[in-house]
Amino acid sequence: MEDKLAKLQEIVETCSNIVFFGGAGVSTESGIPDFRSVDGLYHMKYDYPPETILSHTFFKRNTEEFYRFYRDKMLILDVEPNMAHKKLAEMEQKGRLRAIVTQNIDGLHQKAGSKTVLELHGSIHRNYCQRCAKFYDAKALLENREDVPHCTCGGIIKPDVVLYEEGLDQKTIQDSIYHITNADALIIGGTSLSVYPAAGLIDYFRGKYLVVINKSPTPRDEQADLLIAESIGKVLGALEIKEV
């Protein structure tokens, strides 16, 4: 493990155009549950699997049940950035990291101080009326006592998160491709790379170092120049970040 951390330290010190690609494993260390890791209590509480609830069709047809799950499992505001979020923000501030491409919707990277954050699946912090497009932040949505939150105009409010059956934002994809293509190092962390099309963006990497930090195996392990099967917070937290 010490040898791998030393290698990662060397990569970070020699690169000034690093991109981080992350997933749910980055935020579980802050206490945000991965909804794919379901337990018995979870199954007793909901009549549908999460992939069904978090779909465009379900939102349209069963909006009240969607919001019951969304408020309970997704709209989590009382959490703080962990060491992974903080270290990535420091890497950006010191000129090492150019962008974060994340599958998470919790906004913890921004809360830690990161500026260039490309949110592939949207954010719980942005919500819009489907009728008039009025903006509502996450706190307003959480404090709304209606089973289905409505705008002052009467329209239904929808979170700006990408549901199953919905396409990703094209500008976010284009910006992600640009940063990944031009990176000299790509660090993949806290993701099993099982969700597409997001995971397919890794194909655009042409740089020198591909680093994978994840507790469980990923489809990119064999291609990685450095593979660390450990907690992303523990690994990044061990780094010393120097100014470029």
Side-chain angles (χ1 to χ4, degrees):
M1 183 62 179
E2 287 185 9
D3 290 344
K4 290 188 175 185
L5 287 176
K7 177 63 176 177
L8 181 59
Q9 181 72 49
E10 179 187 338
I11 290 172
V12 171
E13 286 183 4
T14 56
C15 295
S16 59
N17 188 346
I18 300 171
V19 170
F20 179 80
F21 184 97
V26 178
S27 292
T28 52
E29 294 180 32
S30 287
I32 293 182
D34 179 357
F35 71 81
R36 289 184 182 80
S37 303
V38 294
D39 53 28
L41 179 63
Y42 172 94
H43 282 298
M44 291 168 58
K45 194 170 183 180
Y46 301 101
D47 297 328
Y48 306 89
E51 287 82 358
T52 299
I53 298 174
L54 295 174
S55 69
H56 180 82
T57 299
F58 195 91
F59 176 81
K60 289 293 187 183
R61 295 178 180 174
N62 303 276
T63 314
E64 184 176 330
E65 181 68 9
F66 168 89
Y67 265 111
R68 191 166 77 90
F69 176 87
Y70 184 77
R71 284 184 168 120
D72 187 28
K73 288 285 185 179
M74 314 293 284
L75 200 58
I76 303 172
L77 305 182
D78 58 344
V79 291
E80 296 297 326
N82 59 56
M83 184 53 71
H85 298 107
K86 294 174 183 177
K87 191 62 71 168
L88 289 166
E90 182 185 353
M91 289 169 67
E92 182 184 46
Q93 290 158 9
K94 293 187 176 178
R96 298 287 172 188
L97 186 78
R98 295 293 178 88
I100 292 171
V101 181
T102 180
Q103 299 170 83
N104 297 337
I105 60 174
D106 49 54
L108 287 177
H109 285 296
Q110 292 93 327
K111 196 171 184 179
S114 292
K115 303 300 182 186
T116 305
V117 182
L118 301 169
E119 297 170 308
L120 294 172
H121 297 152
S123 173
I124 62 170
H125 297 282
R126 299 188 298 269
N127 306 274
Y128 298 95
C129 171
Q130 292 185 295
R131 181 183 295 174
C132 73
K134 182 178 178 180
F135 171 83
Y136 290 86
D137 63 17
K139 187 177 179 182
L141 203 62
L142 197 61
E143 292 175 349
N144 190 305
R145 298 302 178 187
E146 296 178 288
D147 291 335
V148 176
H150 287 78
C151 175
T152 51
C153 78
I156 293 175
I157 300 169
K158 182 181 183 295
D160 186 20
V161 297
V162 179
L163 303 177
Y164 289 98
E165 304 168 348
E166 294 179 344
L168 304 189
D169 177 73
Q170 285 303 305
K171 186 178 187 308
T172 304
I173 291 176
Q174 290 168 4
D175 289 346
S176 299
I177 290 172
Y178 170 80
H179 283 291
I180 290 172
T181 301
N182 290 283
D184 48 18
L186 178 63
I187 301 175
I188 298 169
T191 173
S192 59
L193 296 175
S194 59
V195 177
Y196 282 82
L201 294 173
I202 307 302
D203 291 333
Y204 289 94
F205 179 62
R206 298 289 184 271
K208 190 172 182 182
Y209 301 109
L210 178 64
V211 179
V212 176
I213 307 168
N214 198 56
K215 289 182 178 179
S216 59
T218 82
R220 304 287 178 165
D221 288 0
E222 291 185 3
Q223 298 169 245
D225 299 289
L226 178 61
L227 175 63
I228 305 178
E230 184 56 87
S231 151
I232 183 70
K234 181 178 179 180
V235 173
L236 294 186
L239 295 175
E240 180 183 349
I241 311 301
K242 298 176 182 177
E243 294 270 3
V244 172

